[in-house]
């Protein structure tokens, strides 16, 4: 769906690999859950599965928060809010995760 493509595009502008994490060679996957209200406001965001590194987890939470408000939910959704689970992967080039 185009709505979800727009979400990922927004994150690409705010999601970063923290320089300290790069320097320390930290990698991992962060699984989050967040809720977007019908008007596009972010209601809640939380980590469901940690990467094991607070610095990576916090960077994901910050990216999702800074990307809000989001576009309003399309009328076709027929809901007042939508809850999404999404995984962000931090992988240094040339190294396996």
């Amino acid at each position: 769906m185009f709505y979800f493509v727009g979400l990922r595009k927004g994150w690409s502008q705010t999601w970063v690999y923290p320089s300290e994490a790069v320097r320390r060679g930290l990698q991992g996957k962060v699984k989050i859950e967040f809720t977007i209200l019908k008007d596009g406001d972010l209601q809640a965001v939380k980590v469901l599965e940690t990467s094991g590194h607070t610095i990576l987890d916090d960077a994901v939470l910050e990216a999702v928060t800074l990307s809000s408000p989001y576009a309003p939910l399309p009328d076709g959704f027929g809901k007042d809010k939508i809850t999404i689970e999404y995984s962000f992967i931090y992988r240094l080039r040339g190294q396996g995760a």
Side-chain angles (χ1 to χ4, degrees):
M1 298 190 113
F2 290 113
Y3 187 78
F4 298 105
V5 170
L7 291 178
R8 286 192 302 269
K9 189 174 183 179
W11 299 327
S12 71
Q13 297 174 16
T14 58
W15 182 40
V16 297
Y17 208 132
S19 57
E20 180 184 343
V22 172
R23 184 179 54 76
R24 294 172 44 198
L26 303 179
Q27 301 182 99
K29 180 172 96 171
V30 183
K31 184 175 183 180
I32 64 164
E33 177 183 274
F34 60 101
T35 301
I36 300 173
L37 300 177
K38 186 169 182 64
D39 65 0
D41 284 343
L42 182 65
Q43 182 181 42
V45 59
K46 65 181 178 181
V47 173
L48 295 178
E49 294 176 19
T50 179
S51 65
H53 307 289
T54 303
I55 192 170
L56 298 179
D57 298 349
D58 288 348
V60 168
L61 295 175
E62 182 177 19
V64 172
T65 301
L66 288 175
S67 297
S68 68
Y70 294 96
L73 297 180
D75 291 333
F77 273 31
K79 298 181 180 185
D80 291 333
K81 61 184 177 181
I82 185 169
T83 300
I84 299 167
E85 289 183 11
Y86 195 83
S87 294
F88 291 77
I89 299 172
Y90 287 95
R91 183 176 302 134
L92 295 170
R93 291 182 183 205
Q95 299 183 23

